[in-house]
Amino acid sequence: MLSADLVIVACMAYVALLFAVAFFGDRRARRGPGGWLSSPLVYTLSISIYCTSWTFFGAVGSAVRNGLEFATIYIGPTIVFVGWWVFLRKLVAVGRTYHTTSVADLISARFGKSSALGALVTIIAVVAATPYIALQLKALTASFQVLTYPAGAVAAANLNLKPDFAIAFWVAAGLCAFSIIFGVRNINVNERHHGVIAAIAVEAVVKLVALVAVGLWVVLGNEGGPTAMFADAPANLTNPADTFGSRWVSLVILAGAAVICLPRQFQVTVVENTSERQLRTASWLFPLYLFLICLFVIPIALAGLQRLPEGSNPDLFVLTLPFSADQGTIGLLAFLGGFSSATSMVIVSSIALSTMISNHLVMPLALSLRLAPDASARLMRRFILTARRVSIVFIVFLGLLYYRLSGSFDALAAIGLISFCGVAQFLPSLVGGLYWRRATQAGALAGLAAGFAIWAYTLFLPSFEGAFLLPASAIADGPFGLGWLRPHALFGLSRLDPLVHALFWSMTANLALFFGVSLLTDPTPLARYQSRLFIDIFRRQTESELSVMRRTAKIRDLRGIADRVLGAGEAVSLFASQNTRDHAMTASDELIATVEQRLAANVGAATARALVSSVVTSETISVEELKRLADETEQIRAYSEELEQKSREIEATADELARANRQLRAIDERKDEFLSQVSHEVRTPMTSIRAFSDILLQTPDMPAAQKQRYLRVIQEESLRLTRLLDGILDLNQPGDSGARATPAPFDPELALDQALASCEALARAAGVGIVRAKRARRAIVDGDRDRLAQVFVNLLSNAIKYNGTRAPEVVIASRVRKGRYEATVSDNGPGVPEAEREAIFAKFARGAAAGQTGAGLGLAISRQIVTGFGGTLTVAESPQGGAAFTVSLPVAQPQSSAGTTD
Amino acid sequence: MSARDTERRGGDDKRGTRDLASVLPFAAIFLFLPPFVLTFTAPLALGGIPLIVLYIFGVWALVILCAAIVASRLAGAGARDQAFRRPDEPAKD
């Protein structure tokens, strides 16, 4: 026997160690995420919380009673974890991506953030967890009692001691304290509890080491090898054919379901997960842990049967075996291992369940009944924390109550399986919710409620053996003597094991109603939206999907809610990117979603949605759009549409590039044309300069006066050439043609004369007769004389050059009419076809008619100049049948308007 | 071998590993559950240990070994995929 004081001191020392680990874990987490806290190893060890005192003590008991059956409890999770790629990966990705806080949160969020569903799942989870927590309290109490029994542990285990509820009470109180101190100190965005996880990881190591130590001690101390060991093995181990019946299958299914659905497993596997890497490692490391835990169960069971007196409680073999051989140290280690496995389970379960209770039961009620102190953030947070703390105490003491009420002689495994069957009811909604789009909220509610009711009736209530609600007579013969309603033989199905029977009926009802009601009802728009997010978690969402839900809310209102629930500090960081002056403005869809997500971490998805909806002024979810998008082919269509749109954009860009290219080519072409035109323009005065200089050179004895005249022409032409080049520069400056020279009043006739003089040589060379007809008198226009002369030179030279008739003649006439000075240059050449009369003035345009090789820029420049003076340059048919170009300019002085002459 | 061949082979490897990862749980179910498991329930003992005990623990170890191989191969493939996070996935904390 160990003294109670020593055991208590050992426990206290151990708890102190856990506190230290949890404390440093929390501190490490506050310094920043990552590090060893988020390593796959710690993650896997935290999942090992699956192995509770049911495993530590109960597995051996189960092996003694039912042979290999104990292994099913670990084979089920092994299958689920090695098959992580099929289901767990999706579940964990959904939980991680959408910051799920509990299994109730996930199911409620998937089915349209339904608060009813969240509440139902929470109630089921709490009720189902009760026997499980009772199991831990029972194991703790029993092991403590056995260890401290005055007559020795072996004798105690043989006695079937009456449970000491005082010990149970203090154990429960201690567990509450630890859970509250480390689990509910603060409200996290993701409900991640780094400190607790670190402590749990340590406990996982302790229980494995303890069990392996006992196992090794048993195996190594065994003389005679395996043959001797299995000599007295129970029949179900040596002749196991009967083990593999419906109960074997049911237990594998139940254990596989439990490792997903148990609130604490969901907490450590999904909520605390930070990356897929963790899960990938856990996929083989966690089964390996289970394998190692189970490896020594059979040897310990066999050794216990051989070495301990007949009638010893097999659930305590792990503890009593070392003491029977006076191995106090190993015994104490075994006790600590069991202590460890029980405490970690209770702590994490109560934390997970308290979050669920506060988020899905207390907060929705408090908010709808206006009990929550929503005036101040501090009070609100305190309210939430208090709700969680009270929930923890409630859960643990509910377990204690179950322990008190239920038959206290049950095997540990049998109690645990009641819980497993209860939480397995979540499986259809959970799996269906992640794979089946048609699943509706009503279907999930109906299935869960029916499964829960049948479980409670066929398994949970009978486990009290008449002490609670269902009297013993009703359990034996059915309520009111109705035999077909017997809890263990519903509808006369009496040949099944009670557990298999309960699983069969509850799952049948659950599945039937889940599928049936889902098919009969339509999902709400939000449920459709959520189902798309959850089911297609690994598929890239198309843009059209993400924009299906549109909400509008004022930033100020959102901020108000965030302040109240999250506290000012977090709210500030949440709205940091928003301009404070814009608070009356409408919040973006993303901001609303972010706020809702943060709120969900504190009060659950359904409550968060209710809160946000209270300030959202309009919400539209296009059901048609969602329905359309739900179709598989429609997804492909949406993709191809997106691709098409992209390719259209690319095409448009390509078109634009092609157009730019064409433009550049055209400009390049025009540049070439322009250059040739410039040469042409420059050539005209050059020709006349050459012609006059030729004459001067060939006739040295020319009269001085004539020589003088010719030289002046040459000079004028060179000057004009200079000015022409200036003009070309002008022309290249867009939009300011003729603006360089400051306009001044001048007599246009002078410009005309200047032009005539410069063309004289050209005309003579071409044999063209120039007739000076009517002249305008006293006409004054505003502008630049040289430029006007340039225009006339252009017109005259064109008229001279392109006149192919036998007796070419150019007639020049000018007059002032209706306030306009008009000068006409007409010829008897081929004329300009009516269709081309506007085209020939286009800049850089060539005349289309044959022989019009160089024309174009001259006229364009001319028109530009004339237009710059506020006049017009037009072409018409001349009286001689050729072309008649008319320059019309507004006269500058009103008095000359009357002076129409000749 | 050209770079493209290597890439294609890598893709095949990855696909193969994923298929293996999907098949593994079903293989485990087949091996652990009746009727297949019943073939090993004969009251035999190998070296003093009943056949069924050896079978269950042997298959268990084998399944874990396969899972470890799959996980390590997926980890190799995952490292190459790291750059391709879903664009709309919220940032992880």
Side-chain angles (χ1 to χ4, degrees):
Chain A
M1 169 223 157
L2 295 176
S3 79
D5 293 342
L6 175 70
V7 176
I8 290 171
V9 167
C11 288
M12 286 299 167
Y14 180 68
V15 168
L17 171 79
L18 290 186
F19 265 105
V21 171
F23 179 74
F24 284 112
D26 261 350
R27 226 172 56 165
R28 172 70 189 81
R30 266 201 300 279
R31 267 191 284 133
W36 56 270
L37 270 177
S38 54
S39 74
L41 181 67
V42 170
Y43 176 73
T44 307
L45 287 174
S46 71
I47 295 176
S48 309
I49 195 179
Y50 180 74
C51 301
T52 64
S53 54
W54 168 1
T55 301
F56 198 86
F57 296 122
V60 172
S62 177
V64 169
R65 293 186 186 100
N66 303 313
L68 266 175
E69 190 185 284
F70 79 93
T72 53
I73 304 305
Y74 311 97
I75 287 174
T78 297
I79 293 172
V80 169
F81 268 80
V82 299
W84 68 293
W85 191 260
V86 178
F87 175 70
L88 215 47
R89 176 168 160 264
K90 190 169 191 178
L91 179 72
V92 169
V94 167
R96 196 177 55 224
T97 309
Y98 298 108
H99 302 283
T100 305
T101 59
S102 66
V103 61
D105 194 34
L106 188 110
I107 292 179
S108 130
R110 159 62 182 84
F111 295 100
K113 306 193 177 175
S114 147
S115 40
L117 211 41
L120 180 61
V121 171
T122 302
I123 291 169
I124 296 177
V126 170
V127 175
T130 308
Y132 212 161
I133 289 174
L135 183 163
Q136 314 302 325
L137 295 176
K138 178 183 155 85
L140 280 174
T141 312
S143 63
F144 185 85
Q145 274 184 287
V146 164
L147 210 57
T148 56
Y149 191 65
V154 182
N158 208 11
L159 271 177
N160 266 331
L161 286 169
K162 273 193 85 65
D164 186 341
F165 291 109
I167 297 174
F169 174 82
W170 287 114
V171 167
L175 290 170
C176 288
F178 190 91
S179 309
I180 288 171
I181 289 170
F182 277 100
V184 204
R185 230 172 5 169
N186 45 16
I187 308 175
N188 279 328
V189 177
N190 295 319
E191 283 311 318
R192 293 192 180 133
H193 306 83
H194 301 284
V196 173
I197 291 302
I200 299 302
V202 170
E203 296 205 280
V205 175
V206 169
K207 62 194 179 198
L208 181 65
V209 167
L211 201 58
V212 168
V214 174
L216 281 177
W217 171 75
V218 163
V219 170
L220 295 179
N222 175 58
E223 288 149 24
T227 317
M229 199 174 230
F230 279 94
D232 305 332
N236 47 28
L237 261 181
T238 46
N239 190 8
D242 293 340
T243 308
F244 301 97
S246 60
R247 192 169 154 89
W248 177 274
V249 178
S250 303
L251 289 182
V252 170
I253 294 172
L254 272 182
V259 83
I260 299 165
C261 300
L262 276 170
R264 70 169 196 282
Q265 291 304 133
F266 193 90
Q267 175 78 30
V268 292
T269 313
V270 180
V271 179
E272 308 279 350
N273 177 276
T274 52
S275 74
E276 194 174 292
R277 191 170 69 100
Q278 293 178 327
L279 186 60
R280 197 169 53 220
T281 305
S283 75
W284 61 271
L285 198 55
F286 176 58
L288 183 64
Y289 184 97
L290 296 177
F291 180 81
L292 292 177
I293 280 271
C294 291
L295 204 53
F296 293 106
V297 166
I298 291 177
I300 294 173
L302 295 175
L305 284 174
Q306 279 173 349
R307 300 181 204 171
L308 292 175
E310 191 100 356
S312 293
N313 182 357
D315 277 338
L316 291 173
F317 276 3
V318 176
L319 200 59
T320 47
L321 260 178
F323 283 109
S324 71
D326 280 330
Q327 292 285 340
T329 320
I330 294 179
L332 192 59
L333 184 64
F335 172 74
L336 280 183
F339 182 75
S340 209
S341 52
T343 49
S344 57
M345 180 274 168
V346 177
I347 289 166
V348 179
S349 282
S350 60
I351 290 173
L353 287 169
S354 76
T355 307
M356 286 164 73
I357 291 180
S358 119
N359 284 359
H360 299 282
L361 289 175
V362 176
M363 285 312 289
L365 274 178
L367 285 170
S368 64
L369 299 177
R370 307 211 152 273
L371 290 175
D374 53 3
S376 104
R378 210 169 49 82
L379 287 177
M380 185 72 154
R381 291 174 74 78
R382 186 179 289 172
F383 179 80
I384 296 174
L385 286 176
T386 309
R388 291 192 182 176
R389 285 170 184 153
V390 171
S391 305
I392 286 185
V393 176
F394 172 73
I395 292 155
V396 174
F397 279 86
L398 211 58
L400 189 64
L401 187 69
Y402 181 94
Y403 178 30
R404 186 77 217 242
L405 284 177
S406 71
S408 45
F409 303 111
D410 255 343
L412 293 177
I415 306 176
L417 285 171
I418 296 172
S419 285
F420 272 23
C421 190
V423 294
Q425 305 305 324
F426 301 151
L427 199 64
S429 303
L430 212 51
V431 178
L434 288 187
Y435 290 93
W436 191 37
R437 288 176 208 285
R438 264 317 259 121
T440 68
Q441 180 200 342
L445 266 176
L448 277 171
F452 174 58
I454 292 178
W455 166 77
Y457 183 71
T458 57
L459 205 60
F460 180 68
L461 292 180
S463 74
F464 289 102
E465 292 171 0
F468 181 63
L469 273 179
L470 212 58
S473 61
I475 298 171
D477 307 320
F480 318 112
L482 296 171
W484 57 274
L485 274 180
R486 270 180 299 157
H488 286 162
L490 211 54
F491 306 116
L493 195 65
S494 57
R495 287 175 49 204
L496 289 177
D497 173 86
L499 180 76
V500 178
H501 171 265
L503 179 69
F504 172 75
W505 280 121
S506 61
M507 270 299 164
T508 305
N510 191 336
L511 284 168
L513 284 172
F514 177 64
F515 284 109
V517 175
S518 285
L519 288 174
L520 290 176
T521 51
D522 272 330
T524 62
L526 188 62
R528 271 185 209 277
Y529 181 72
Q530 290 292 105
S531 80
R532 295 217 40 85
L533 295 184
F534 281 25
I535 292 173
D536 299 325
I537 184 80
F538 292 121
R539 197 172 57 74
R540 203 181 71 80
Q541 310 279 316
T542 54
E543 278 159 32
S544 46
E545 280 171 81
L546 294 173
S547 59
V548 161
M549 183 151 86
R550 295 232 163 274
R551 291 186 284 187
T552 48
K554 288 214 169 61
I555 291 184
R556 196 179 40 212
D557 297 343
L558 270 185
R559 178 73 192 262
I561 295 181
D563 275 341
R564 270 190 281 134
V565 180
L566 304 174
E570 203 176 325
V572 165
S573 70
L574 200 56
F575 288 86
S577 57
Q578 306 293 325
N579 192 336
T580 41
R581 278 169 305 178
D582 287 352
H583 275 193
M585 305 276 293
T586 311
S588 64
D589 282 335
E590 298 95 77
L591 183 66
I592 298 177
T594 313
V595 171
E596 189 179 332
Q597 201 165 61
R598 292 285 188 95
L599 290 176
N602 290 275
V603 294
T607 316
R609 176 170 158 72
L611 279 171
V612 170
S613 295
S614 67
V615 298
V616 165
T617 45
S618 82
E619 175 181 299
T620 51
I621 301 175
S622 164
V623 177
E624 283 312 307
E625 187 71 359
L626 271 172
K627 273 188 188 163
R628 208 171 58 74
L629 288 168
D631 194 14
E632 199 72 32
T633 50
E634 199 48 50
Q635 288 173 11
I636 297 167
R637 210 194 55 74
Y639 278 136
S640 69
E641 205 168 71
E642 242 170 62
L643 280 178
E644 258 173 44
Q645 198 189 329
K646 290 258 156 61
S647 77
R648 269 200 300 276
E649 276 164 25
I650 292 168
E651 249 171 53
T653 316
D655 276 354
E656 216 160 281
L657 281 174
R659 219 181 53 226
N661 190 31
R662 271 200 305 279
Q663 238 165 10
L664 282 173
R665 277 172 190 283
I667 287 170
D668 187 51
E669 219 165 84
R670 278 201 237 163
K671 185 202 76 191
D672 289 347
E673 268 179 47
F674 178 73
L675 283 175
S676 77
Q677 296 305 329
V678 164
S679 325
H680 158 81
E681 284 298 317
V682 172
R683 243 177 94 175
T684 323
M686 284 301 278
T687 315
S688 85
I689 289 170
R690 228 183 73 195
F692 283 111
S693 51
D694 278 351
I695 296 169
L696 282 170
L697 282 172
Q698 280 159 15
T699 48
D701 50 349
M702 187 181 281
Q706 198 173 2
K707 201 185 274 177
Q708 194 73 23
R709 203 167 75 87
Y710 283 5
L711 282 173
R712 193 170 300 117
V713 170
I714 290 174
Q715 190 201 20
E716 276 175 13
E717 282 302 285
S718 355
L719 286 173
R720 195 168 72 80
L721 196 58
T722 316
R723 289 192 291 266
L724 177 71
L725 291 172
D726 283 347
I728 288 166
L729 285 175
D730 284 350
L731 187 72
N732 277 336
Q733 287 164 359
D736 70 344
S737 52
R740 181 184 279 188
T742 42
F746 68 96
D747 185 352
E749 288 298 296
L750 293 176
L752 194 52
D753 288 341
Q754 189 187 337
L756 269 172
S758 62
C759 289
E760 204 183 307
L762 188 69
R764 185 172 303 166
V768 176
I770 293 184
V771 178
R772 189 73 173 88
K774 292 185 243 173
R775 288 182 76 100
R777 274 192 310 224
R778 294 193 307 278
I780 301 291
V781 296
D782 268 338
D784 180 6
R785 201 185 80 180
D786 283 332
R787 297 196 137 251
L788 189 59
Q790 193 188 332
V791 172
F792 288 135
V793 167
N794 250 318
L795 296 178
L796 281 169
S797 60
N798 279 352
I800 292 164
K801 271 190 291 186
Y802 302 118
N803 196 333
T805 46
R806 209 172 301 164
E809 191 186 47
V810 176
V811 179
I812 296 143
S814 61
R815 60 176 176 171
V816 174
R817 199 168 68 107
K818 289 183 185 168
R820 295 187 80 86
Y821 166 79
E822 285 178 357
T824 308
V825 178
S826 42
D827 58 54
N828 57 349
V832 182
E834 188 144 3
E836 278 180 39
R837 279 183 193 164
E838 264 316 298
I840 56 168
F841 292 108
K843 209 174 179 181
F844 305 113
R846 269 172 220 274
Q852 302 277 320
T853 46
L857 190 64
L859 284 175
I861 294 174
S862 302
R863 178 169 257 195
Q864 210 171 339
I865 293 167
V866 173
T867 313
F869 290 171
T872 56
L873 172 60
T874 50
V875 64
E877 198 178 322
S878 69
Q880 302 95 318
F885 288 87
T886 303
V887 174
S888 166
L889 296 169
V891 293
Q893 275 148 16
Q895 77 265 18
S896 60
S897 66
T900 310
T901 53
D902 298 47
Chain B
M1 190 192 293
S2 76
R4 198 163 154 203
D5 282 346
T6 317
E7 193 176 287
R8 190 181 306 144
R9 225 178 50 127
D12 280 355
D13 270 8
K14 207 158 57 181
R15 165 71 41 108
T17 310
R18 286 179 182 175
D19 286 349
L20 190 61
S22 309
V23 166
L24 194 57
F26 299 101
I29 288 171
F30 175 78
L31 292 171
F32 279 125
L33 293 192
F36 187 76
V37 76
L38 292 172
T39 33
F40 296 89
T41 51
L44 288 173
L46 292 177
I49 303 173
L51 176 66
I52 187 66
V53 176
L54 288 175
Y55 172 77
I56 291 286
F57 280 88
V59 167
W60 200 343
L62 188 75
V63 165
I64 292 169
L65 185 70
C66 288
I69 292 170
V70 165
S72 73
R73 284 177 61 171
L74 281 173
R80 285 199 295 274
D81 281 349
Q82 205 84 110
F84 303 101
R85 201 165 62 103
R86 282 182 5 160
D88 53 324
E89 188 175 342
K92 287 157 192 160
D93 316 2

